[in-house]
Amino acid sequence: MKKLLLSFPIMMGILFFGILRSDSNVSSKHHSSSNTEVFQKKYSTKSKLRIYYIRHAEGGHNVKKEWEIYPESEWPSYVGNHSAFTPKGIMQQSRVSRKLNRFNFDFVAVSPAWRCKNTVLPYLKDSKIKAEIWPELAEIYATNLIVSPDLPQHTATDKILGAGDAITLLPEEEPYFTLRNDGTHEFKKLRFPRDHSESAKENAMAKVIIDRVLELIEDRSASHNTILLSGHGSSGKAVLRMLTNDPLNGFPQITNTGVWMVEQQEDGTFRLKMFNDVPFSE
């Protein structure tokens, strides 16, 4: 009897320990299962790809026509200068960083033009992001013909991509910009009439360049979900037309430092969600 009484606490302790261990195992299994479910839920579906585009701040070339009513001797030094901002452009540039900080970009690509690099430079400094120079974002002429099914193929034997002048970065630019290994030269701009009377051929050439932009976007989207492009008015409209496969008839021009954004859909197409900083709904 005494042995039985002595062994009873031991038996109860073993039983209690077993229950605790069992509960612990159940809890551990449940916790592990929950973590797996959270992990799968987090990584099984990729966030929708969003492409943003910002046009450069107002440059001296943008106001040249306005000043042609005055003698050239009276023009401020910035008038007609592609590499200088107007007073309005300086003000626009000062607001870009705050505007772009509303979004979380994980990749930035910029036209090699001074006005495009310097438009986003304050944002790059604030966000500690280094932008990649894309020669293909340089300014080109393109209209709604660029998405026309009747647009002829570019057949000129002259090479376009990478056949232009070499791109160099100034020492003060190197902390904020980088060159692609295959993007160290501008594209070659073929000569067309100034009145754009050969618009179809000119758009066909532009399509070669914008097709390359789309290839680069697709390549970068493998590891980036929110991409910012910085470029020009006509080029920005061309990229938007190609992404959405929409001629954008009746759309205004992209304003200086205006932003548009498209979001990729489940079927791979892109839908316009913002134009000139304003939410867009069809």
Side-chain angles (χ1 to χ4, degrees):
M1 184 67 175
K2 186 176 181 180
K3 290 182 179 180
L4 183 60
L5 290 174
L6 290 173
S7 64
F8 182 78
I10 297 174
M11 293 172 62
M12 291 298 293
I14 293 173
L15 179 62
F16 182 72
F17 178 79
I19 293 172
L20 286 177
R21 185 176 182 181
S22 176
D23 287 344
S24 176
N25 287 340
V26 171
S27 176
S28 177
K29 289 178 181 178
H30 177 71
H31 184 67
S32 176
S33 176
S34 297
N35 281 347
T36 302
E37 289 173 4
V38 169
F39 184 85
Q40 290 175 342
K41 186 175 182 181
K42 183 177 180 181
Y43 293 99
S44 62
T45 57
K46 185 180 178 180
S47 299
K48 287 185 177 181
L49 173 63
R50 290 181 174 180
I51 309 297
Y52 292 77
Y53 188 102
I54 183 169
R55 185 186 175 193
H56 61 78
E58 185 179 78
H61 63 296
N62 293 130
V63 298
K64 185 176 179 180
K65 285 186 178 180
E66 299 174 16
W67 281 88
E68 287 179 348
I69 60 174
Y70 303 101
E72 192 169 340
S73 59
E74 297 179 10
W75 290 4
S77 59
Y78 61 80
V79 175
N81 190 342
H82 289 77
S83 298
F85 291 134
T86 66
K88 181 179 179 180
I90 293 173
M91 181 180 66
Q92 291 170 338
Q93 182 211 33
S94 69
R95 297 172 178 173
V96 164
S97 188
R98 171 184 267 183
K99 176 188 291 191
L100 296 182
N101 272 320
R102 294 181 297 160
F103 314 106
N104 294 312
F105 302 115
D106 45 23
F107 181 81
V108 179
V110 185
S111 160
W114 179 93
R115 55 194 181 278
C116 298
K117 290 184 293 186
N118 282 272
T119 293
V120 296
L121 184 57
Y123 168 73
L124 298 177
K125 290 180 176 179
D126 288 347
S127 62
K128 305 297 189 294
I129 293 178
K130 199 168 187 176
E132 191 170 73
I133 301 295
W134 284 8
E136 300 80 7
L137 289 176
E139 190 165 28
I140 56 169
Y141 172 81
T143 68
N144 55 8
L145 286 176
I146 200 169
V147 294
S148 169
D150 300 323
L151 184 70
Q153 285 192 341
H154 176 72
T155 56
T157 56
D158 294 339
K159 184 180 178 183
I160 298 175
L161 300 175
D165 295 335
I167 300 171
T168 57
L169 292 176
L170 299 174
E172 60 267 27
E173 294 178 323
E174 291 179 355
Y176 309 105
F177 302 96
T178 184
L179 297 175
R180 297 194 331 257
N181 292 334
D182 62 345
T184 57
H185 286 71
E186 297 178 0
F187 59 79
K188 184 177 180 180
K189 294 185 179 181
L190 305 184
R191 293 187 177 183
F192 292 97
R194 293 177 64 88
D195 62 358
H196 305 299
S197 56
E198 295 183 8
S199 185
K201 291 182 180 179
E202 200 166 359
N203 276 264
M205 181 209 72
K207 188 175 183 299
V208 172
I209 298 164
I210 303 303
D211 276 340
R212 179 56 179 152
V213 173
L214 300 190
E215 290 175 1
L216 289 166
I217 289 174
E218 183 177 4
D219 178 68
R220 299 302 185 268
S221 68
S223 53
H224 304 289
N225 290 329
T226 312
I227 295 174
L228 172 67
L229 308 178
S230 173
H232 310 262
S234 179
S235 303
K237 208 70 168 298
V239 173
L240 181 56
R241 287 184 173 111
M242 295 282 283
L243 282 171
T244 60
N245 194 31
D246 186 336
L248 304 178
N249 293 324
F251 269 62
Q253 69 175 356
I254 306 170
T255 58
N256 291 112
T257 66
V259 175
W260 60 249
M261 183 270 282
V262 294
E263 185 178 73
Q264 192 170 34
Q265 305 301 297
E266 295 295 334
D267 61 359
T269 62
F270 285 90
R271 181 174 296 173
L272 182 61
K273 294 290 186 178
M274 179 194 303
F275 189 80
N276 279 342
D277 304 322
V278 179
F280 180 84
S281 59
E282 296 179 283

